[in-house]
Amino acid sequence: MRRHGETQHQASSFASMSAAERKEAIVKLSGNLQKSTSLFRKQTTEADKVTRASYEVSRLLARRMKPFTDGDFIKECIMVVIDSLCPEKGSAFESVSLSPRTVCRCIEEMSDSVNDSLKTCCSNFDAFSLALDESTDMKDTAQLAIFIRGVTAALQVYEEFLQLVPLHGTTTGQDIFNAVLQCVKQHSLDLSRLVC
């Protein structure tokens, strides 16, 4: 380390300082570092809040089955309220992105997260059963709803909606069986644990 300091930092201002002056300079530099990192933390926290707000509005739109384009309308309403009540905070709300593309991406990411947690939950089942229900939508397409009920080693029982599978064409027993097998394969379920 001495060789490195003598060869690389001999011309620096630290070389001419006494030990006390070096300590003082180090304290000053570390203070500056903490100030700059706290600025980044504050900006990151604000960015996290903006992202969370975008996800929350997207979740509400999906839950109410509203079009993704309603995000722009909601933002417009929020901005009118903010301009009336507290215009000084308008810039924080302006940065919340609620475009149709953003809302779609947020909903897809939440859906993937729910799907992953469902797969994790299903992988812990010691035994499970499937329930099927078939209905027809407004366009005369048969829809197969697949539900799962499973129990873990700790005797915790879970009941979840697994998947909605459209059945195009015929709806014979073989078609339903193939759809169920495909769903089981997609969710990595072990058929040896199927009890009902």
Side-chain angles (χ1 to χ4, degrees):
M1 288 184 61
R2 182 184 305 136
R3 182 176 53 84
H4 173 77
E6 290 171 354
T7 58
Q8 300 295 324
H9 302 286
Q10 191 66 28
S12 72
S13 61
F14 283 106
S16 61
M17 292 182 179
S18 68
E21 291 173 329
R22 285 182 190 162
K23 283 182 183 179
E24 189 177 309
I26 289 172
V27 168
K28 183 178 177 183
L29 288 173
S30 65
N32 289 342
L33 178 64
Q34 287 177 356
K35 285 179 186 175
S36 63
T37 56
S38 68
L39 174 69
F40 288 123
R41 281 191 206 118
K42 182 179 178 186
Q43 288 177 348
T44 302
T45 304
E46 288 178 13
D48 289 345
K49 288 179 182 178
V50 166
T51 303
R52 183 178 178 87
S54 181
Y55 274 93
E56 290 294 332
V57 172
S58 299
R59 183 180 60 83
L60 289 173
L61 286 171
R63 181 171 275 169
R64 299 288 175 112
M65 292 186 266
K66 298 293 183 185
F68 298 159
T69 54
D70 281 0
D72 286 334
F73 176 67
I74 290 171
K75 183 174 180 178
E76 191 175 326
C77 292
I78 289 171
M79 293 311 298
V80 168
V81 171
I82 294 300
D83 287 343
S84 298
L85 296 178
C86 50
E88 67 277 358
K89 295 187 178 181
S91 62
F93 290 95
E94 185 66 39
S95 59
V96 175
S97 178
L98 294 174
S99 68
R101 178 171 280 182
T102 302
V103 171
C104 180
R105 181 183 49 79
C106 290
I107 291 172
E108 285 175 351
E109 288 178 6
M110 288 185 282
S111 172
D112 291 342
S113 176
V114 168
N115 198 17
D116 290 344
S117 64
L118 182 61
K119 280 185 180 181
T120 303
C121 183
C122 290
S123 68
N124 295 329
F125 290 156
D126 283 353
F128 69 92
S129 62
L130 296 175
L132 309 176
D133 186 28
E134 181 189 355
S135 64
T136 306
D137 66 8
M138 292 173 49
K139 295 183 180 180
D140 288 335
T141 302
Q143 302 284 343
L144 179 66
I146 304 173
F147 300 88
I148 188 168
R149 177 185 286 166
V151 63
T152 64
L155 297 179
Q156 290 179 315
V157 178
Y158 294 93
E159 216 175 76
E160 295 290 335
F161 172 73
L162 196 58
Q163 190 172 1
L164 183 68
V165 181
L167 299 173
H168 300 286
T170 61
T171 57
T172 63
Q174 185 66 41
D175 295 328
I176 292 172
F177 179 72
N178 290 338
V180 169
L181 283 182
Q182 175 115 10
C183 176
V184 164
K185 185 178 180 181
Q186 282 179 352
H187 289 85
S188 305
L189 295 170
D190 184 7
L191 282 177
S192 67
R193 296 179 180 184
L194 179 66
V195 294
C196 182

